[in-house]
Amino acid sequence: MRRSLALVLTAVVIGAGFASSHVGAKALPRVTKKAPLRCEKVTKSGKAFRFCVGSITSKDRTVLLDADVTLPARGDGPFPLVVLLHGLGGSKLSFESDTIQGDGGSTHFNNLWFASKGYAVLTHTARGYKGSSCIDTAVESIDGNLDLYDPSPACRPQIVNQAYDVKDTQQLISGLVDDTLLTTEATIDSKKIGVAGVSLGGGQTWLLTRKNTWKTPAGTAVKLAAAVPIIGWTDLVDALLPNGGARDDAVQSTAIAERQAERVGVPKTSYIGALYSLAQITSSDFKLPGFLNAWYARFNAGEPFDDEVSLDAVHKLLTNHSAYYLDKKGSFFTPTFAVQGFTDILFNAQQPLRMYNRYVSDPAFKFSAYFGDWGHPMSQNKDAETLFIFNRVTAWLDYYLKGKGADPAKRFEARITLCGTDDIGDLYKATTWSGLQEARDDFSFDLAGDISTESSDPHASLIDPINEPRNTCRTTDTAVAEGNLAAEMDFPDGYTMIGMSDVRLDADPTAPNMYISARLWDVDPEAGTQTLVDRGVFRLGGEEAQAQIDFELFGNGWTFAPGHKMKLEFTANDAPAFGNPNAVGTIAISGVSISLPKAAASAKLP
């Protein structure tokens, strides 16, 4: 039975819950030195390994970091190192397996899998989560501010802060390179280190591509040789509060002041609430820092986001948590393979493309990406797609850490989403992102009228990604709720799209701080049903009319079957998935069109 890889909000997120058992482990006959991680011999899947367990005091001396290292049974090294970073609610156990093959979210992505291939593997629990423990609660997080927030100890969960989580990972890598952490003799090649993280760990992996060179306490230079951010983020403000300004076809400013001057976007309310609850129940001692409590309460309260707490949160989320806005030392780029879900409503496909567009013109930038029906809800996370993705991850690490195989850089792959089957969709491949699309087709709609914040939409709850069943396509009846507007377009010959749809319209709101949410549906006239293909939001400004609003939806790979219809729907109230508007009023819309990214037939693989 398929094990969900997506955020299981009642318990754990991706990668959490693969507890590893080490019953029957035997102490190694030769313990060569004292060190914090004690190593023992274990046998799994009929193969011997060395497994090292212990805790390390963080560099800022506020927390004990709970860490494991898995090694091949023999050899002193130096070994290439793979670091596996867990998601929110996870721990060092998230990617530890009792079998080399692994299962569910650990299939071909676990400590034994990589150790069996000759890697050393580091897994550790991020600070603040169960397994780690505070040793000094008096040291304040740089995200805290006693004038605004309750105490915010640096030892509590920091939601991937470059000053804490990134430095913790660098510290553990440095200890392995300097050979000060393990009781067994095994060193790490400082030039052959790769990091792969999922969700929360994916966000940290992106940050590590910016903080990719450093020196160990012994003075050894470290360069991060490979990175695999999986369903993570590069701009955490855009991920949680999209304003409609993200683009897949343009370089966006890297200046934090310019980014902060933009409108604060529309909260992904149900996701933010679920993530906050998950952080609470999985944090050490069930305690979060004061700034996180305050940020959650403030964004949950709704617009306008112009007060001191809102502005402080946006500034710090951009400055300390978002890789896109960090300058990188030197010219060295870490070769990066990004995995992102088209159907992932939390961290959508625009996140890695932001970084790609920034550096695509630099020939030293080694980058590839995979986009599919995989990730947080509503992604289906089919077994075959999971295996495909993690085999691609292994190939990336093998090439850049071992020099094995063909160069996998400059490879963009996108898979079409299929509903109602365990089969996976067609795969498209190109050397660039734009190479996946052969054209953009424009469609205009004879659609004008008012959308209302007081719309009571029966479909809104059904397409909330947090609602059960989470990891499925969302199919509903075709009714349009009073207060929404929609129009259809025939596709007699069918149509396949890959990428981000671009919606354009004129808007005239009756109140400030309103937003427009757009939904793209595939209508099956025979069945009388519609399936959600794509969605997105645009934050309006004041009450003045706004001509030619232009914003991208989150994206998808999708085939409209011959005879199906494309339906474009607009609402001014997309709760509970997005914010429940504080403003009451209507938005007059007109001049509606959509541009679809037509899949390149030449890019389709057999």
Side-chain angles (χ1 to χ4, degrees):
M1 182 177 67
R2 184 186 311 138
R3 186 179 296 187
S4 173
L5 299 181
L7 184 62
V8 183
L9 294 158
T10 56
V12 292
V13 270
I14 292 182
F18 298 101
S20 184
S21 170
H22 303 288
V23 176
K26 298 179 180 179
L28 292 171
R30 180 172 63 98
V31 177
T32 60
K33 59 183 184 296
K34 291 184 178 180
L37 302 188
R38 182 172 178 81
C39 301
E40 299 176 324
K41 220 181 240 186
V42 299
T43 299
K44 302 288 182 181
S45 298
K47 189 176 180 69
F49 300 92
R50 285 173 287 177
F51 190 77
C52 310
V53 183
S55 58
I56 299 98
T57 301
S58 63
K59 190 174 181 180
D60 64 356
R61 307 195 68 79
T62 65
V63 64
L64 280 175
L65 299 170
D66 190 20
D68 293 345
V69 173
T70 309
L71 298 162
R74 296 181 180 86
D76 295 343
F79 296 100
L81 174 68
V82 172
V83 183
L84 301 179
L85 301 173
H86 65 78
L88 182 66
S91 72
K92 67 178 186 178
L93 302 179
S94 295
F95 299 115
E96 292 180 8
S97 175
D98 280 330
T99 65
I100 292 172
Q101 180 77 7
D103 70 336
S106 70
T107 302
H108 290 195
F109 191 80
N110 63 72
N111 61 326
L112 299 185
W113 171 259
F114 288 109
S116 72
K117 294 179 173 295
Y119 291 101
V121 184
L122 168 64
T123 50
H124 72 281
T125 300
R127 66 167 57 205
Y129 296 101
K130 291 177 182 177
S132 70
S133 56
C134 287
I135 55 178
D136 187 350
T137 58
V139 178
E140 276 285 293
S141 168
I142 62 171
D143 281 340
N145 181 327
L146 290 178
D147 293 334
L148 290 177
Y149 309 122
D150 290 335
S152 301
C155 63
R156 301 296 181 201
Q158 300 298 311
I159 315 299
V160 186
N161 188 315
Q162 60 162 320
Y164 301 110
D165 302 281
V166 168
K167 287 187 176 180
D168 291 343
T169 301
Q170 290 177 334
Q171 176 191 346
L172 294 172
I173 293 171
S174 294
L176 292 172
V177 169
D178 287 345
D179 197 16
T180 61
L181 295 187
L182 307 178
T183 57
T184 189
E185 294 294 341
T187 57
I188 301 303
D189 190 329
S190 64
K191 296 180 180 179
K192 296 180 179 179
I193 296 171
V195 176
V198 178
S199 191
L200 190 80
Q204 184 182 165
T205 302
W206 275 116
L207 287 168
L208 282 160
T209 67
R210 319 304 295 153
K211 305 291 184 180
N212 62 353
T213 62
W214 69 91
K215 285 192 175 182
T216 72
T220 302
V222 174
K223 280 187 175 181
L224 192 65
V228 185
I230 302 171
I231 56 171
W233 70 86
T234 57
D235 180 334
L236 192 50
V237 176
D238 177 68
L240 298 178
L241 299 104
N243 63 11
R247 304 288 307 183
D248 78 317
D249 57 0
V251 179
Q252 296 177 275
S253 173
T254 60
I256 289 177
E258 289 186 28
R259 177 66 177 88
Q260 191 164 355
E262 296 180 15
R263 302 174 309 282
V264 178
V266 185
K268 294 178 181 176
T269 307
S270 62
Y271 250 126
I272 291 173
L275 293 170
Y276 177 74
S277 297
L278 185 61
Q280 280 186 313
I281 65 175
T282 58
S283 62
S284 180
D285 301 325
F286 304 101
K287 293 180 181 178
L288 296 177
F291 71 85
L292 275 182
N293 295 324
W295 293 357
Y296 170 71
R298 180 61 199 87
F299 287 124
N300 203 43
E303 309 85 352
F305 300 123
D306 55 5
D307 58 285
E308 192 174 6
V309 171
S310 298
L311 297 178
D312 184 63
V314 169
H315 177 74
K316 287 174 178 173
L317 288 171
L318 295 173
T319 303
N320 299 329
H321 304 263
S322 298
Y324 185 73
Y325 303 97
L326 297 184
D327 290 329
K328 183 178 61 60
K329 291 182 180 179
S331 59
F332 172 69
F333 288 102
T334 298
T336 301
F337 172 47
V339 176
Q340 214 74 24
F342 274 138
T343 49
D344 185 334
I345 305 301
L346 180 58
F347 301 139
N348 62 51
Q350 289 162 331
Q351 292 295 320
L353 292 173
R354 184 186 302 265
M355 197 74 79
Y356 167 71
N357 286 328
R358 179 177 178 181
Y359 292 114
V360 63
S361 61
D362 191 326
F365 183 52
K366 302 292 186 182
F367 183 84
S368 288
Y370 175 84
F371 302 89
D373 179 21
W374 200 91
H376 302 91
M378 302 179 292
S379 302
Q380 296 181 87
N381 303 311
K382 297 174 182 178
D383 289 342
E385 190 159 10
T386 299
L387 185 60
F388 179 90
I389 289 168
F390 286 140
N391 284 341
R392 283 286 194 260
V393 171
T394 297
W396 188 266
L397 296 172
D398 280 350
Y399 181 82
Y400 285 104
L401 302 186
K402 292 182 175 181
K404 179 182 176 182
D407 187 350
K410 296 184 179 180
R411 180 171 63 191
F412 282 78
E413 293 176 310
R415 192 174 296 280
I416 302 301
T417 300
L418 283 184
C419 300
T421 175
D422 286 336
D423 294 336
I424 53 178
D426 292 331
L427 184 67
Y428 287 71
K429 180 180 178 181
T431 58
T432 63
W433 168 246
S434 60
L436 294 170
Q437 301 127 15
E438 68 182 33
R440 293 198 72 93
D441 292 322
D442 295 329
F443 302 91
S444 296
F445 294 88
D446 184 15
L447 180 65
D450 292 344
I451 55 176
S452 172
T453 58
E454 297 186 291
S455 168
S456 181
D457 186 351
H459 298 155
S461 181
L462 297 174
I463 61 174
D464 177 5
I466 302 307
N467 284 347
E468 296 284 1
R470 293 196 182 100
N471 302 103
T472 63
C473 298
R474 303 302 169 93
T475 299
T476 73
D477 61 62
T478 59
V480 178
E482 184 177 354
N484 291 354
L485 289 175
E488 296 180 351
M489 185 76 61
D490 290 324
F491 276 140
D493 299 322
Y495 192 93
T496 298
M497 58 171 278
I498 289 178
M500 288 71 184
S501 307
D502 196 340
V503 173
R504 303 182 183 95
L505 70 151
D506 298 332
D508 187 1
T510 60
N513 301 309
M514 301 176 76
Y515 70 85
I516 295 173
S517 181
R519 305 166 183 164
L520 184 64
W521 299 91
D522 180 336
V523 177
D524 182 344
E526 288 190 10
T529 60
Q530 60 185 14
T531 300
L532 184 65
V533 175
D534 202 359
R535 69 196 305 179
V537 293
F538 186 89
R539 166 70 70 194
L540 297 171
E543 299 176 39
E544 68 280 2
Q546 299 184 33
Q548 199 60 82
I549 290 169
D550 185 340
F551 66 103
E552 289 186 345
L553 307 189
F554 295 156
N556 204 351
W558 188 267
T559 294
F560 294 87
H564 281 209
K565 298 174 181 286
M566 169 182 64
K567 179 177 178 180
L568 186 59
E569 180 182 18
F570 296 97
T571 181
N573 184 350
D574 207 356
F578 295 90
N580 193 358
N582 284 343
V584 175
T586 60
I587 305 170
I589 66 171
S590 60
V592 176
S593 66
I594 188 171
S595 174
L596 295 186
K598 185 175 183 179
S602 60
K604 184 178 178 180
L605 298 181

